[in-house]
Amino acid sequence: MKDARSIKEDFPILAKEVYGKRLVYLDNAATSQKPRSVIQSLVDYYEGYNANVHRGVHALSMEATERYEGAREKISSFIGSPSTESVIFTRNTTEGINLVANTWALANVGPGDEILLTEMEHHSNLVPWQKLAREKGAKLRFIPVAADGTLDLSDLDQLLNHQTRLLSLVHMSNVLGTINPVKELASKAHALGAAVLLDGAQSVPHMALDVKDLDCDFMAFSGHKMLGPTGIGVLYVKDALLQQMEPFLRGGEMVKDVQLEDASWNDLPMRFEAGTPNIADTIALGAAVDYLQELGMENVHAHEKQLTSYALEAMAELKEDMEFYGPEDLSVRGGIVSFYAPDVHPHDLGTMLDTEGIAIRAGHHCAIPLVRGTLNVPATARASFYIYNSEEDVDALVASLKRALTYFKRS
Ligand code: C6P
């Protein structure tokens, strides 16, 4: 893979200075930066072939349609989908999970059924299920998190049972960095007749994966965390389930024929893409996938693993003042390091680092039950890495953390 320094040159924003300091961007789990090729693809669309898709007979519309569907093909092959029909464009991970809750789950979850989640879910994979369970008289159950930041599977046989209709879990935690054993869990769930949804928001951007190999029924992810623009996401749905699902939103694009009192549905996947889609951002997500594929997802993951190992080693001397979260076993961990110093509120830490040009995230990371419940802290600070981060960035983070801790301990 190209080294981080030359990758950085492809990202205009990373040349920016913040308060006169070199920008060290370590908030990639919130959103990634965008390479020039992605930004250029947005300009190319609006300057060169801006038109609506699937309905025009003119040259611009045909070009827009070709490139929009071309992006679907790229994304489909990126995640190993057996067919482009299984790739539904959404706004983001959140919308993808809501789509499943409001279609497949609405029709397939009933009173007494169970939905199995984990204690490390992002709110996006918790709140939609709370509503569904309440409305359907179903029960939510949770796989606990062990002290080492991995899932505690000791009671799995009891938690995953014949009542389970759906196992919905995060592939990689946005707080702990834990990569969950989703393939093994999916196989157990399927043996009991349950469907499996993966929240791929943090895994798809950072590792090679194949939906056929993982054998998930649904997988939701967001373009903006994988070098693409905001406002475009993907929901993969296994063909057999897709065929049975009722549409989510209704209107133009998703119909085949309409009478005053009735309508029939368009072919897949358009049936799930009502209204004019987010054309420019979809095409730009295709450009983001090109960029990642050129680097190679195995290389992306290896780079982040190496950087995480370097960071954990460099931060070891801060252990007296800080608690660190997430598995020590780097074979089950991605490029996320969360920490909490009892002497300093994470927001103060984040603000102090910001004055030195270092962008991290502080808060509950939209995982309140995990952070405030399981970890039992008000918030954590979090550094998250991507392809353009280097050891130099980690050195800057550690030096700045040391200065901040010294300052707050004195004051
Ligand atoms: N996590 C973070 O800073 P959206 O907002 O729909 O693109 O992604 C939601 C989401 C779902 N699942 C996981 C595991 C996530 O990490 C996220 C987004 C960001 O950690 C924003 S809270």
Side-chain angles (χ1 to χ4, degrees):
M1 181 168 107
K2 287 206 285 190
D3 67 9
R5 196 179 292 259
S6 48
I7 290 177
K8 227 170 227 175
E9 285 168 13
D10 293 336
F11 291 74
I13 204 170
L14 297 177
K16 190 181 160 81
E17 291 197 339
V18 177
Y19 313 119
K21 307 270 168 49
R22 177 175 82 84
L23 169 64
V24 177
Y25 188 77
L26 298 174
D27 194 17
N28 294 288
T31 198
S32 70
Q33 298 303 345
K34 324 300 172 198
R36 206 168 272 109
S37 58
V38 167
I39 300 166
Q40 189 58 47
S41 85
L42 293 169
V43 175
D44 289 348
Y45 169 75
Y46 286 117
E47 287 189 353
Y49 56 96
N50 172 44
N52 214 325
V53 288
H54 299 142
R55 36 175 88 123
V57 289
H58 56 82
L60 292 190
S61 177
M62 285 189 277
E63 181 168 1
T65 303
E66 205 171 291
R67 290 188 191 245
Y68 178 79
E69 289 304 327
R72 197 190 307 273
E73 276 164 31
K74 288 177 192 179
I75 293 155
S76 176
S77 109
F78 185 66
I79 59 168
S81 170
S83 136
T84 52
E85 290 184 357
S86 286
V87 173
I88 298 168
F89 289 125
T90 61
R91 278 188 304 148
N92 46 38
T93 307
T94 307
E95 186 174 287
I97 297 172
N98 274 275
L99 192 159
V100 179
N102 283 286
T103 55
W104 178 87
L106 205 58
N108 288 281
V109 175
D113 286 346
E114 296 182 1
I115 298 172
L116 182 58
L117 310 172
T118 81
E119 277 179 4
M120 62 168 83
E121 297 311 317
H122 186 279
H123 299 162
S124 295
N125 193 31
L126 174 60
V127 181
W129 304 120
Q130 293 173 345
K131 176 174 185 281
L132 185 91
R134 239 187 330 263
E135 288 175 359
K136 289 289 188 167
K139 186 173 175 193
L140 299 184
R141 303 195 73 179
F142 299 91
I143 303 176
V145 175
D148 68 354
T150 62
L151 289 177
D152 175 357
L153 299 173
S154 49
D155 282 334
L156 187 66
D157 288 343
Q158 194 246 328
L159 288 168
L160 186 59
N161 58 54
H162 286 287
Q163 267 74 52
T164 314
R165 292 297 292 143
L166 175 72
L167 166 66
S168 187
L169 82 164
V170 68
H171 193 178
M172 173 171 144
S173 161
N174 65 321
V175 178
L176 305 167
T178 313
I179 300 169
N180 289 319
V182 292
K183 187 175 168 176
E184 293 73 14
L185 290 170
S187 148
K188 284 203 164 82
H190 285 146
L192 290 160
V196 176
L197 185 152
L198 292 188
D199 172 350
Q202 300 293 348
S203 58
V204 176
H206 299 283
M207 63 180 77
L209 58 76
D210 183 301
V211 288
K212 294 186 297 304
D213 177 54
L214 297 175
D215 197 24
C216 52
D217 299 290
F218 308 99
M219 184 174 74
F221 56 101
S222 301
H224 70 95
K225 294 185 199 288
M226 51 187 287
L227 312 181
T230 50
I232 179 67
V234 174
L235 175 70
Y236 159 82
V237 183
K238 205 187 257 179
D239 185 57
L241 286 93
L242 197 53
Q243 300 291 347
Q244 314 156 4
M245 277 162 53
E246 278 293 302
F248 176 36
L249 302 174
R250 290 153 198 253
E253 279 274 283
M254 51 75 68
V255 282
K256 185 158 269 166
D257 193 16
V258 182
Q259 302 85 42
L260 280 178
E261 304 284 345
D262 207 2
S264 58
W265 311 139
N266 203 344
D267 298 332
L268 293 165
M270 263 93 80
R271 191 180 303 171
F272 292 96
E273 293 176 3
T276 298
N278 186 350
I279 305 163
D281 295 326
T282 306
I283 294 167
L285 179 57
V289 164
D290 286 342
Y291 190 96
L292 286 171
Q293 261 178 335
E294 186 136 343
L295 294 179
M297 291 310 289
E298 305 279 358
N299 297 331
V300 168
H301 189 52
H303 169 72
E304 291 167 18
K305 207 155 108 178
Q306 188 277 326
L307 215 51
T308 308
S309 156
Y310 181 81
L312 291 176
E313 219 163 280
M315 290 165 125
E317 56 182 300
L318 302 173
K319 272 192 173 155
E320 250 176 46
D321 298 310
M322 280 182 175
E323 196 67 46
F324 286 86
Y325 305 102
E328 279 179 15
D329 176 0
L330 292 185
S331 69
V332 293
R333 180 170 181 160
I336 288 179
V337 182
S338 278
F339 41 93
Y340 175 70
D343 292 333
V344 196
H345 192 282
H347 283 131
D348 293 335
L349 206 55
T351 306
M352 185 117 175
L353 263 59
D354 179 52
T355 63
E356 303 198 357
I358 300 169
I360 61 162
R361 183 166 175 195
H364 51 60
H365 315 294
C366 298
I368 293 179
L370 171 65
V371 172
R372 306 231 169 112
T374 314
L375 305 183
N376 196 23
V377 290
T380 78
R382 181 190 71 186
S384 49
F385 308 124
Y386 212 2
I387 47 177
Y388 33 69
N389 291 124
S390 58
E391 291 183 358
E392 206 183 345
D393 295 341
V394 174
D395 293 342
L397 168 73
V398 176
S400 186
L401 280 174
K402 280 185 194 163
R403 279 192 290 276
L405 286 170
T406 310
Y407 173 84
F408 282 109
K409 272 169 58 181
R410 244 193 262 126
S411 55

